[in-house]
Amino acid sequence: MSQEHERQRRVSTLLIVGVVALLVLIMCSGCSTVVPVTAKFPDAPGPLATTRCPDLQKLKDDARLSDVSRTVTANYSTYYECAVRADTWQEWYNVQKHIFEGAGK
């Protein structure tokens, strides 16, 4: 009876080892792929964020004080609009980069 018991114990041990090995192989094969997986960085948020800022206005040699005032006001407006677009673009880029780099972890 002892030999029969020992034989059954060996068979059950081999069966358990085989099942565990099979599970490990199945789990490892589930992680592999033949197709390379590459993440694509998102496209820019639109043409408004990527358009180039316009050149600032220049004064003529015979400019009057009213022309100077008008040109300075227009240039300040142009500058601050461009600064807001640049800040928005940088914020969008930093958020997207953070999301993009965190997605692979």
Side-chain angles (χ1 to χ4, degrees), residues 45-96:
L48 184 62
T50 57
T51 54
R52 186 174 167 85
C53 292
D55 292 333
L56 299 178
Q57 296 177 7
K58 296 180 182 175
L59 284 172
K60 297 177 183 173
D61 290 336
D62 61 342
R64 289 188 238 141
L65 187 57
S66 61
D67 294 334
V68 171
S69 174
R70 200 172 311 121
T71 303
V72 167
T73 303
N75 284 345
Y76 268 107
S77 298
T78 302
Y79 167 77
Y80 283 112
E81 286 175 11
C82 188
V84 167
R85 274 195 277 162
D87 291 344
T88 304
W89 171 254
Q90 290 171 0
E91 180 183 351
W92 176 87
Y93 177 81
N94 289 331
V95 168
Q96 296 304 319

Side-chain angles (χ1 to χ4, degrees), residues 22-37:
L22 185 63
L23 286 174
V24 169
L25 285 174
I26 289 171
M27 288 170 45
C28 288
S29 69
C31 297
S32 67
T33 179
V34 222
V35 179
V37 178

Side-chain angles (χ1 to χ4, degrees), residues 1-18:
M1 190 75 143
S2 174
Q3 277 184 334
E4 181 67 27
H5 182 65
E6 184 67 28
R7 194 174 134 251
Q8 285 180 350
R9 192 171 63 85
R10 283 184 188 162
V11 168
S12 63
T13 303
L14 285 174
L15 185 62
I16 290 174
V17 169

